Amino acid sequence: IGESSIQIWRFDGILPNQNNLEARCDLSLIIGHDYGTILDMAWCPMGTSWQDFTDTTDYSRIGLLALACGDGQIRILSVPQISKLTSKINKRISDSLLGSIPIFKAKPVATLMAPNVGPSADEQACKSINWSLRQGQKLILAGYASGNVALFDLANKSPIIYTNLNGMMVYQAVKSWVAHGA
């Protein structure tokens, strides 16, 4: 399917199968993107407090996925419920191997900009992210190839930290520091 896709699989558990165990997994959704190499991902089930959801019964998505992209930016995608994609599916794969798996081209709901981490693209690469699932899922910590670490607060609406560009949230790091030199 290529480097520019993320696969979402459904796991139904381990089933006994004669003398061994068999895992029941099905490919459910393919998310297409044009963000280059994805170096790490962090999952946040359902929603977060920073998005100001007023209707807690809105189950139009299964969660949020933060992608650590090779360009240093972190992009947060809203992963939709497959049943909600009927009008948004770009195409369906119809070969014998995959059957008809929905392919969805995701647009980020938020972008976290890399801090000034180094002169080369290799040093700007975000290598690791950790999404705090406590306190409203509003904090993301990112580690960069340069040795820098950045903390993003998604609930912070300060004009220094946060910008809304055509409906997409763009954040700068609240704090960043050099964690190591190698």
Side-chain angles (χ1 to χ4, degrees):
I1 296 174
E3 294 178 7
S4 297
S5 67
I6 299 165
Q7 300 175 6
I8 305 291
W9 289 74
R10 184 181 69 227
F11 177 69
D12 288 334
I14 305 290
L15 305 172
N17 183 7
Q18 296 178 357
N19 295 333
N20 58 10
L21 297 176
E22 179 180 295
R24 173 85 171 121
C25 300
D26 293 313
L27 180 58
S28 297
L29 175 65
I30 299 169
I31 300 172
H33 66 84
D34 53 6
Y35 312 129
T37 303
I38 304 298
L39 300 170
D40 196 13
M41 294 187 278
W43 180 252
C44 180
M46 296 304 288
T48 63
S49 64
W50 56 272
Q51 287 189 296
D52 298 328
F53 276 136
T54 55
D55 182 8
T56 57
T57 61
D58 177 18
Y59 297 110
S60 63
R61 67 174 177 215
I62 58 175
L64 296 169
L65 183 61
L67 306 175
C69 303
D71 63 0
Q73 295 183 11
I74 298 170
R75 292 173 176 90
I76 300 176
L77 308 179
S78 179
V79 179
Q81 291 279 357
I82 295 169
S83 62
K84 304 292 182 186
L85 283 177
T86 53
S87 64
K88 295 181 182 179
I89 294 174
N90 291 344
K91 67 176 184 175
R92 289 188 174 268
I93 297 175
S94 59
D95 62 32
S96 60
L97 178 63
L98 295 175
S100 60
I101 307 299
I103 296 178
F104 176 70
K105 176 91 179 197
K107 180 180 165 188
V109 293
T111 300
L112 284 54
M113 303 301 290
N116 186 12
V117 293
S120 73
D122 289 341
E123 289 181 348
Q124 289 182 8
C126 179
K127 296 288 191 171
S128 178
I129 52 177
N130 186 339
W131 196 325
S132 171
L133 298 181
R134 296 184 182 159
Q135 299 176 347
Q137 300 88 9
K138 64 181 181 174
L139 299 177
I140 291 181
L141 194 62
Y144 294 87
S146 64
N148 286 13
V149 174
L151 175 67
F152 296 91
D153 182 352
L154 302 175
N156 192 327
K157 299 296 186 205
S158 164
I160 297 170
I161 304 296
Y162 170 80
T163 308
N164 189 330
L165 296 174
N166 299 325
M168 185 177 70
M169 298 174 278
V170 178
Y171 292 89
Q172 302 294 328
V174 174
K175 293 181 183 181
S176 65
W177 60 94
V178 177
H180 58 83

